[in-house]
Amino acid sequence: MKYRKLYITLLICCSSLVTETIFSQGLSSLFNRGNTKKAAKGLSNMKNGSDDPADYILRPQYKVIADEPLWLLKKNSYENFYYNLLTGSIIGNYDLNLLTGNPRNKEELDWISSRQEASKSGDSVNIYQYLIQQNRDIDLYFQVSSYGDVGGGFSNQAIYYGFLTNNHNVQDTLIDRIRIFRRDIIKKYKIEESQFGLILDIQNIPAQLTSPEDIQNFKTFIEKIKKKLFPGSEGAKLGIKLPIIHEENNFYYVGNELLKRIIPMFDLVIYKNYSRDLEEINDEQLQWFVKGNYNFLKFDVDSLQKLGIPLSKLIVEFAYLGLNLKRDSTIDKLVFDRMNPIVSYDNMNKMADRSFVKESANETDSSMTKFKFKNGNEFHYDDEHIRLFKYDRLKSLGILGISLHGIGYNNIEKGTKYWKAIADVFGRIPDKLIWYFFGTLLGFLSFGFPYSVIKFWQARNILAKYKKYLLHTLGGWLIATFGFLFCLNIIPRNTVGVYVGLGILGILIIMILARVYLSKLISLFRK
C-alpha cells in the first residue's frame, strides 16, 4: 500500500510538473517566429507525405494491376515496377485463333515460360518467379485475347458462332492448352495455384449473336473454363475485360442479357477506358477523350452499373498512350492523324523536351495535357496530375481499383511521377513502430490517471490537498489522452489531427490564463 501511494503521488506530480513547465516556460519558445515557421513546414510535409512511391503501401480495399505488353517485358520494364503498389500483374497473352483454338503467338508463350536475364541483378529468372520474389502476395494473371480479326474466308459472325458452339472442339483445345501451360508454370516455379488467375479479353463479337442460345453458349464456355482450370475453391481469380463504351459497340453492350448472365461468374471486371481501334471512335467520342474524359468516367461507371456490374468487381484500365491530332482546316476541328494516330508516352515525353513544343496542361476545358506544334497539330495525353484527378474521381465512385496498361512506356524518372499519383490516391504511408511505442506509454498515463482517482481514495485526497495544481494535472492528462489517440491514428495523424491537438492545447492555455487572471483579480479586490 505504501508503494502504491507513492506511485499515485508521483504520477500526479509528474503530470502537473510537465504541464506547469510547458505553460510557464515553453510558451515563449512555442510562439517564437522561427519555431512557428518550422512547425508550419512540418504540417505541410505531414499533409503531402513522401515524394517516393516506395514509402507507400496500398490500402487493402483497393486493387492495382499492371498489364504489360510483351515487347516492354523484353526490355525488362517490369524491373521498374513499384511492387509495393501492385496487387496483381497480367503477364503473358494467349492470342487465340478462333478457328482452331491454338495460340497465334507461340513464341511469346515460350518466352514467358522460360528464364530471362534480369538487367539489374544479372540473375537468370523467370518473369513470374521474379514478380513473386518482389511481392509474395501478388496475383498473377494470364490473358486470353481475341479481337475477331481471323480471316480464312469466314465472316466474323460465322467465326464466333463456331467458337461459341465449340465447333471442331475449338474451346476444348483452348482450355487444354491453357491448363497445361498454367500447370507447368505453377509446378516449375513453385507458384501457389491461388495466385495464378486468368483474364478473358474476347471482343468484337458480332451484334447478330444475341439470341438466348448464343448467350447460353457463352455462359457454358465460361462455366467450362472455371470447372477445368479452377476446380474446387482454390481461390484463383477469373476476370473479363470489357471494351470502351461507344455508340456502335459490340456484343457486350447490345442489350444487357449477356452481362447479366456471365458477370456473376467473374471475380474481376476490367473496363478499358481507352481504344486503339480508330473505327471505334467517332468525332463525338474523340471530344470525350480530349475534353470530357474526366467527366465521362462517372458516366461510364454508372452505365456499367446499370448493366449489372457491381462496383466491388469493377476495375478501370488506363493505357499509357497519347493521341496525335491534326487540325482539319476545312471543318476547323481536330481529327486523328491517320499516319500516326497513337503515340506512346515514351515518345510523348521525348517530344515534350523539344523546344518547338509548347505545353499547355491542366486547362479548365480539357481532361488531358496538351502539346501544341507550330503547324497546329497537337498531342493529347494524361500527365501525372490529370491521372491523380481521375484516380481520385474513380475512388470516390467506389470502384475496386485500376489497371495500368503499358506503364513501362514511361522512362524511370518520369514514370515515378505516375506511380506517385497511384500512391497518393490508393495508398498510405505505413505506421512506424515508434508511434505504437509512444502510444503505449501515453496510454498508461491516459487510462492510469482516471483509474487511480476512481479506485483509490488516497489519490482523491492528494488532488484535494493540491487544488492549485488541479487544472495543470487535468491539462497533462488531456494532452496524454490526445497523444495516445494521435499515436494510434484514432485521431488522424495528418494536418486535421494536428489542428485538433492545437485547438485542445489552445483551450487549455486560455483556461489556465483565465484562472491566473481571476486569481489575481480576486486578490486585488480583497486588498
Side-chain angles (χ1 to χ4, degrees):
M1 182 63 71
K2 179 175 68 174
Y3 295 107
R4 183 176 294 173
K5 289 181 182 179
L6 182 62
Y7 168 74
I8 296 169
T9 305
L10 181 63
L11 176 65
I12 295 175
C13 290
C14 286
S15 298
S16 61
L17 178 62
V18 170
T19 312
E20 179 73 16
T21 302
I22 291 174
F23 293 132
S24 63
Q25 299 180 12
L27 288 180
S28 61
S29 175
L30 178 63
F31 292 104
N32 176 273
R33 184 178 179 183
N35 290 340
T36 304
K37 290 176 68 176
K38 290 179 182 178
K41 185 177 180 181
L43 286 179
S44 176
N45 290 338
M46 180 173 287
K47 180 179 179 181
N48 295 332
S50 171
D51 291 331
D52 188 354
D55 292 337
Y56 290 76
I57 59 173
L58 276 182
R59 298 182 184 273
Q61 66 268 39
Y62 299 113
K63 290 189 179 295
V64 176
I65 298 173
D67 181 3
E68 198 78 341
L70 177 66
W71 70 270
L72 284 173
L73 294 176
K74 287 185 175 181
K75 293 184 175 182
N76 300 98
S77 62
Y78 57 91
E79 294 185 32
N80 298 321
F81 289 174
Y82 284 84
Y83 288 92
N84 54 304
L85 297 175
L86 281 181
T87 59
S89 184
I90 301 174
I91 300 292
N93 180 52
Y94 189 105
D95 188 9
L96 173 64
N97 185 327
L98 286 167
L99 299 175
T100 65
N102 291 312
R104 299 192 298 177
N105 57 337
K106 186 177 181 301
E107 296 79 10
E108 176 174 346
L109 301 184
D110 292 339
W111 188 91
I112 290 293
S113 59
S114 61
R115 295 179 182 273
Q116 310 298 329
E117 182 176 331
S119 60
K120 290 184 177 179
S121 64
D123 297 333
S124 179
V125 64
N126 175 262
I127 186 169
Y128 291 116
Q129 197 176 28
Y130 181 89
L131 266 61
I132 293 291
Q133 290 174 357
Q134 305 306 309
N135 182 350
R136 63 181 181 181
D137 298 320
I138 196 169
D139 290 323
L140 304 173
Y141 299 98
F142 183 65
Q143 181 171 279
V144 175
S145 66
S146 176
Y147 302 109
D149 55 348
V150 179
F154 294 90
S155 68
N156 275 0
Q157 183 177 353
I159 293 171
Y160 271 106
Y161 184 80
F163 172 72
L164 293 178
T165 55
N166 199 20
N167 190 20
H168 304 299
N169 297 319
V170 177
Q171 292 180 10
D172 296 335
T173 300
L174 167 66
I175 293 172
D176 285 342
R177 292 291 296 266
I178 296 175
R179 181 180 57 81
I180 294 171
F181 176 84
R182 181 173 179 269
R183 180 200 65 193
D184 292 345
I185 291 292
I186 288 173
K187 184 178 180 181
K188 185 175 181 180
Y189 299 112
K190 297 179 175 57
I191 298 172
E192 295 290 333
E193 290 189 2
S194 60
Q195 287 184 272
F196 206 111
L198 182 70
I199 303 293
L200 296 181
D201 189 14
I202 301 176
Q203 299 178 15
N204 291 335
I205 298 177
Q208 296 90 337
L209 299 179
T210 57
S211 68
E213 181 182 358
D214 295 327
I215 293 174
Q216 180 57 43
N217 286 334
F218 201 106
K219 183 174 181 289
T220 302
F221 165 58
I222 298 171
E223 289 173 340
K224 192 185 300 183
I225 287 179
K226 294 199 72 170
K227 181 179 179 181
K228 292 191 176 183
L229 294 183
F230 310 121
S233 56
E234 64 175 25
K237 294 179 176 60
L238 179 64
I240 187 170
K241 282 192 176 184
L242 298 180
I244 191 166
I245 297 173
H246 55 83
E247 290 179 356
E248 299 176 356
N249 220 311
N250 59 25
F251 186 42
Y252 292 112
Y253 303 121
V254 178
N256 57 10
E257 287 303 313
L258 175 65
L259 290 178
K260 283 184 177 179
R261 296 288 296 277
I262 67 174
I263 289 302
M265 294 186 289
F266 289 98
D267 303 296
L268 304 172
V269 178
I270 301 176
Y271 173 66
K272 299 165 74 172
N273 182 48
Y274 63 94
S275 177
R276 286 177 291 185
D277 185 354
L278 300 185
E279 301 301 324
E280 291 183 348
I281 304 177
N282 57 30
D283 182 68
E284 180 183 356
Q285 288 135 16
L286 176 59
Q287 303 309 311
W288 290 6
F289 280 105
V290 174
K291 292 187 177 181
N293 189 245
Y294 175 80
N295 294 321
F296 271 95
L297 281 173
K298 185 178 187 307
F299 171 82
D300 290 350
V301 171
D302 290 343
S303 299
L304 293 169
Q305 272 193 286
K306 291 176 182 178
L307 293 171
I309 300 174
L311 294 178
S312 59
K313 291 184 177 182
L314 182 59
I315 292 175
V316 176
E317 182 168 275
F318 292 86
Y320 286 80
L321 301 169
L323 303 176
N324 186 13
L325 309 177
K326 65 179 182 180
R327 186 163 297 279
D328 188 335
S329 58
T330 60
I331 58 176
D332 194 29
K333 283 187 177 181
L334 290 171
V335 297
F336 280 115
D337 184 342
R338 297 286 168 174
M339 298 298 295
N340 188 25
I342 306 297
V343 184
S344 74
Y345 275 23
D346 184 49
N347 288 331
M348 195 76 70
N349 288 328
K350 294 175 182 177
M351 297 297 287
D353 293 332
R354 298 182 183 179
S355 58
F356 58 83
V357 176
K358 178 183 178 182
E359 183 174 355
S360 178
N362 300 326
E363 293 185 0
T364 56
D365 66 340
S366 176
S367 67
M368 287 188 166
T369 304
K370 183 189 301 182
F371 293 152
K372 286 184 176 181
F373 290 81
K374 293 181 180 180
N375 60 4
N377 289 10
E378 297 179 3
F379 282 158
H380 291 256
Y381 80 116
D382 289 348
D383 65 10
E384 66 274 13
H385 304 294
I386 299 298
R387 278 295 172 87
L388 188 145
F389 297 148
K390 290 184 177 181
Y391 294 160
D392 197 52
R393 164 61 71 90
L394 290 172
K395 179 183 177 181
S396 68
L397 296 176
I399 68 167
L400 179 59
I402 59 172
S403 177
L404 314 167
H405 179 74
I407 192 171
Y409 277 120
N410 288 283
N411 58 43
I412 297 176
E413 180 183 353
K414 293 183 179 179
T416 299
K417 297 178 182 178
Y418 288 91
W419 287 101
K420 179 60 167 55
I422 298 168
D424 286 339
V425 177
F426 298 106
R428 65 178 179 85
I429 297 177
D431 293 332
K432 292 183 170 60
L433 188 60
I434 192 171
W435 287 110
Y436 295 102
F437 174 76
F438 282 106
T440 302
L441 293 181
L442 293 171
F444 280 115
L445 286 173
S446 176
F447 291 103
F449 176 70
Y451 174 79
S452 300
V453 172
I454 295 170
K455 183 75 174 177
F456 305 113
W457 61 267
Q458 296 93 335
R460 295 191 291 273
N461 284 349
I462 293 172
L463 288 175
K465 184 177 180 180
Y466 298 100
K467 283 185 178 180
K468 67 176 183 179
Y469 294 112
L470 180 60
L471 191 58
H472 301 79
T473 304
L474 290 176
W477 172 77
L478 194 60
I479 291 173
T481 302
F482 171 79
F484 166 70
L485 298 175
F486 187 77
C487 286
L488 297 187
N489 209 25
I490 298 173
I491 293 178
R493 288 197 306 270
N494 53 27
T495 307
V496 175
V498 173
Y499 284 144
V500 170
L502 292 176
I504 294 173
L505 187 61
I507 292 172
L508 197 57
I509 292 172
I510 293 172
M511 290 174 62
I512 291 177
L513 292 177
R515 181 182 180 278
V516 171
Y517 177 76
L518 287 174
S519 297
K520 290 183 178 180
L521 196 62
I522 291 171
S523 63
L524 183 63
F525 277 107
R526 284 178 178 176
K527 293 179 180 179

